[in-house]
Amino acid sequence: MNWLSFSGNALLVSFVIYCVAFLVFVLSIAGKTWSNRDPEVHARKWGRAAYGLSVLGLVSQLLYFFTRWYGGGHIPTSNMFEFMTMLGMMIMIAFIIVYAIYRTPVLGVFALPVVVLIIAYAAVFPNEVQPLIPALQSYWLKIHVTTAAAGEAFFAVGFAAGLMYLIRTVNFQGKTAADRKEQRGVEFTLLIIFMLIAFIASVFTFNAAGYEAKFVKEQILAKEDGTQQKVSQTVTYVLPPIVAPYQTTLESMDSFLGMDKPLFTAPSWMSGENAGRKLNTVIWTVLIGVLLYVLLRLILRKPIGQAISPIMKGMDPEDLDEIGYRSIAIGYPIFTLGALIFAMIWAHKAWGRFWGWDPKEVWALIVWLFYAVFLHLRLSRGWQGKRSAWLAVIGFIVVMFTLVGVNLVIAGLHSYSGV
C-alpha cells in the first residue's frame, strides 16, 4: 500500500470536511433568522451537525498525520508543509476541546477558517517527504515541535474568541475618536487576514498557470588555494516580478498584463539570494489583499466588521471573553514547555548551547513574554473585555509572524524549516 498517497488523500478529505463544517456552522447561526422553529433549537441542531463534521475532519487529518509518519519514516514536522498541516490539526483539537466545554456555534464560524487558511497555506510549500538533516534527527523533534504547536493552537482559539468579542462589542455606528479607533483596528485585523488569503490564492493561481520568471546572478567566490571561481546562481519567481533581485540579469520571463520586464530592482541592501523574490511576494500579497478587501467593502457598502457584527448579536460578550482567556491560559504553559524549555534542551544537545539569540529563538521568547504580559494584566490589573481581546488578537499576529516571517524572511539556524 502506498501510505504517502493515502495520507495525501486523507488530508484533502479533511480539508473538504472542514470547509463543509464551516458552512454548517454558518447555517446554524444565519439560519436562526429565517427558521420557523425555535432559533435556539435550530442553532443547537446544526451546531451539533457541524461539530460532528469537525470531529470527522479531525479523524481524517489524524489518518493523514500517522500514515505520513509511517510512510515517511519520521514524524511529519520537519518542513513548512508538515509543520503547518500539523498546526492546523492542533488548532482543530484545541477547538474541539473548547467547543465541548462552551457549545458556542459562532466559535466554529471563526475558528474553522483559521484552520482552513493554515492548511491552504501549507499547500503552497513542497509536500515531498524529505530526509531529516542531522540537526533534526532526534526524539526531541517530536517533543519540542508538537508541544509548541499545541500551545500555539490554543492561542489561535484565543485569537478567534478575541476577534469575535471585538466584532460583537465595537460600536460600528459610533462617531467618537475612540469608536473610530476601534473600528479601524478591527478592519486592519481583517485586512491582514485578507492578505494571507491573497498570498495563498496568488501562489496557487500562478503555479497552476505554470508562470515562471528566471534571473541569473554572477558571483566571484574565493577558493582555498587563493584563486577565484565564477559561479552563476538562478533565482526563479512563481509570481510576476514587479521587483528584480539586486545585481541580476533577466534570463526569461512570461509576460503578464503587458509587463515583460520588472518595474524596478531591489535596493542594494537586499542583496541576498532570495531577498528580491521575498520583497516581490510581499508586494503581490499587499496589492491583492488590499484589492480583495476593497472589492468586498464596495459590495457590502459598509465596513466588513460591521457587516459581520449582526451574526454576533446572540452571543454573550462575557462568554467570548472567558473562552479567549481560558484558551490562552491553557496554551501558555504548553507553549512554555515546548517552545522554550524543550527547545533549549534540544538546542544544547544539537548545538552545544541552551541559547544563541537565533532569530527563531528570539521571536519565540517575544511570543512567550507577550502572553506572560497578557496573563499578568488579566489577573493582576483586571484587564478584561476589549483590552484582553485586543491583546489576544495582537498576540496571535505575533505568533504568525514567528511561524511565517521568521522562517521565510529572516535567515537563521531554523531556516531549514522554511524549505
Side-chain angles (χ1 to χ4, degrees):
M1 181 175 182
N2 189 334
W3 291 106
L4 295 179
S5 177
F6 178 86
S7 70
N9 292 332
L11 180 62
L12 178 61
V13 169
S14 67
F15 181 81
V16 172
I17 293 175
Y18 290 153
C19 292
V20 175
F22 163 70
L23 295 176
V24 178
F25 271 123
V26 171
L27 183 63
S28 72
I29 301 301
K32 291 167 64 176
T33 60
W34 46 261
S35 176
N36 294 326
R37 300 179 181 180
D38 184 343
E40 295 304 320
V41 173
H42 175 92
R44 285 197 299 270
K45 174 184 175 182
W46 289 99
R48 285 195 297 268
Y51 182 67
L53 285 171
S54 300
V55 173
L56 182 62
L58 176 61
V59 171
S60 181
Q61 193 171 3
L62 286 169
L63 283 174
Y64 147 77
F65 184 78
F66 287 108
T67 53
R68 185 177 176 93
W69 188 345
Y70 181 80
H74 58 79
I75 187 171
T77 58
S78 61
N79 55 44
M80 281 295 285
F81 171 80
E82 294 178 342
F83 178 81
M84 296 307 289
T85 53
M86 187 193 70
L87 178 61
M89 182 177 71
M90 290 296 185
I91 294 175
M92 278 305 301
I93 293 173
F95 162 72
I96 286 172
I97 292 172
V98 173
Y99 187 92
I101 297 172
Y102 293 97
R103 298 289 178 178
T104 305
V106 179
L107 184 60
V109 176
F110 285 80
L112 265 296
V114 176
V115 177
V116 169
L117 281 176
I118 285 178
I119 296 177
Y121 174 70
V124 170
F125 300 95
N127 60 3
E128 296 83 5
V129 175
Q130 301 168 346
L132 292 179
I133 65 173
L136 297 180
Q137 294 175 5
S138 169
Y139 60 87
W140 285 104
L141 173 65
K142 307 179 185 68
I143 301 173
H144 158 59
V145 178
T146 53
T147 50
E152 291 162 349
F154 281 99
F155 294 160
V157 176
F159 162 80
L163 185 58
M164 291 163 58
Y165 182 94
L166 293 173
I167 294 175
R168 171 66 177 84
T169 59
V170 167
N171 181 11
F172 288 99
Q173 306 296 333
K175 303 297 182 183
T176 66
D179 289 335
R180 292 187 180 277
K181 183 177 179 180
E182 291 179 343
Q183 294 164 14
R184 288 193 295 268
V186 171
E187 293 301 300
F188 180 73
T189 302
L190 295 172
L191 176 59
I192 292 176
I193 296 173
F194 272 91
M195 288 182 181
L196 178 58
I197 296 172
F199 169 75
I200 297 168
S202 60
V203 173
F204 268 130
T205 301
F206 285 104
N207 263 333
Y211 186 90
E212 188 175 80
K214 291 185 177 181
F215 296 86
V216 177
K217 182 172 185 177
E218 305 287 348
Q219 286 186 318
I220 304 298
L221 301 180
K223 301 175 68 175
E224 293 183 359
D225 59 5
T227 61
Q228 293 182 333
Q229 181 181 7
K230 188 176 183 180
V231 177
S232 296
Q233 290 182 328
T234 300
V235 181
T236 303
Y237 281 40
V238 295
L239 297 176
I242 295 175
V243 53
Y246 180 67
Q247 289 186 336
T248 58
T249 302
L250 178 63
E251 181 181 85
S252 63
M253 174 180 169
D254 296 336
S255 178
F256 177 72
L257 297 179
M259 185 175 68
D260 54 7
K261 64 179 180 179
L263 300 182
F264 62 94
T265 302
S268 59
W269 53 269
M270 297 189 70
S271 56
E273 177 184 352
N274 295 312
R277 183 174 62 189
K278 293 170 182 175
L279 175 60
N280 189 70
T281 302
V282 170
I283 292 172
W284 273 108
T285 298
V286 173
L287 288 177
I288 300 178
V290 171
L291 178 62
L292 290 174
Y293 175 83
V294 171
L295 286 176
L296 189 56
R297 279 287 301 264
L298 291 175
I299 293 172
L300 297 174
R301 296 186 178 183
K302 63 178 68 175
I304 298 174
Q306 183 179 350
I308 299 174
S309 182
I311 72 171
M312 305 296 299
K313 287 184 178 179
M315 287 297 302
D316 184 349
E318 292 185 2
D319 287 344
L320 295 174
D321 182 59
E322 180 71 10
I323 291 171
Y325 162 64
R326 293 296 180 188
S327 298
I328 292 173
I330 293 171
Y332 184 74
I334 300 174
F335 182 83
T336 301
L337 284 173
L340 289 182
I341 297 175
F342 294 157
M344 288 189 291
I345 295 173
W346 188 13
H348 184 265
K349 289 182 175 293
W351 300 314
R353 83 314 186 262
F354 289 102
W355 188 264
W357 297 104
D358 181 72
K360 191 65 172 289
E361 296 172 346
V362 171
W363 278 94
L365 178 62
I366 290 173
V367 170
W368 183 80
L369 290 173
F370 185 94
Y371 282 105
V373 171
F374 169 92
L375 292 173
H376 169 73
L377 293 175
R378 173 89 187 195
L379 298 174
S380 299
R381 300 297 181 89
W383 277 37
Q384 298 182 358
K386 287 183 180 178
R387 289 185 292 187
S388 178
W390 279 118
L391 288 177
V393 168
I394 295 170
F396 191 66
I397 292 175
V398 176
V399 169
M400 290 306 296
F401 178 79
T402 303
L403 294 175
V404 179
V406 176
N407 274 353
L408 302 181
V409 178
I410 303 175
L413 291 173
H414 291 77
S415 295
Y416 54 77
S417 59
V419 175

